[in-house]
Amino acid sequence: MTQAFKAAILSYHSISGGPPPLCISFDVFAAQMHWLRANVRVVPLEVLAESLAKKTPPPEPSVALTFDDGLSDFYSVAAPV
């Protein structure tokens, strides 16, 4: 028996043409964001952390996005998407 998708945390390191797995191309990132917008609820990380702490179900289906290292491509490339 498989469990239904409930929540996920996606972490991005760099939106660039660099080598995987730390980098993701702009086209792939944009496609992922468009799919997420159409299919799940994007929530602040705090929402998922609170549901874990309280042992209550998160809003379903939901996803939180995190961006590692504060690279400038998050501001110039990811934020506009």
Side-chain angles (χ1 to χ4, degrees):
M1 177 183 229
T2 61
Q3 291 186 330
F5 170 80
K6 294 184 181 187
I9 299 170
L10 301 179
S11 181
Y12 293 93
H13 183 74
S14 178
I15 314 301
S16 67
L22 295 179
C23 300
I24 184 171
S25 73
F26 171 77
D27 292 340
V28 172
F29 176 77
Q32 288 178 357
M33 295 303 105
H34 286 87
W35 186 92
L36 290 172
R37 184 174 187 186
N39 292 285
V40 300
R41 180 176 170 198
V42 178
V43 298
L45 182 58
E46 178 182 15
V47 170
L48 295 184
E50 285 178 11
S51 66
L52 284 171
K54 294 178 181 178
K55 298 183 181 177
T56 59
E60 296 180 30
S62 58
V63 64
L65 306 175
T66 66
F67 297 90
D68 189 25
D69 292 339
L71 299 175
S72 64
D73 56 30
F74 297 136
Y75 176 77
S76 62
V77 179
V81 176

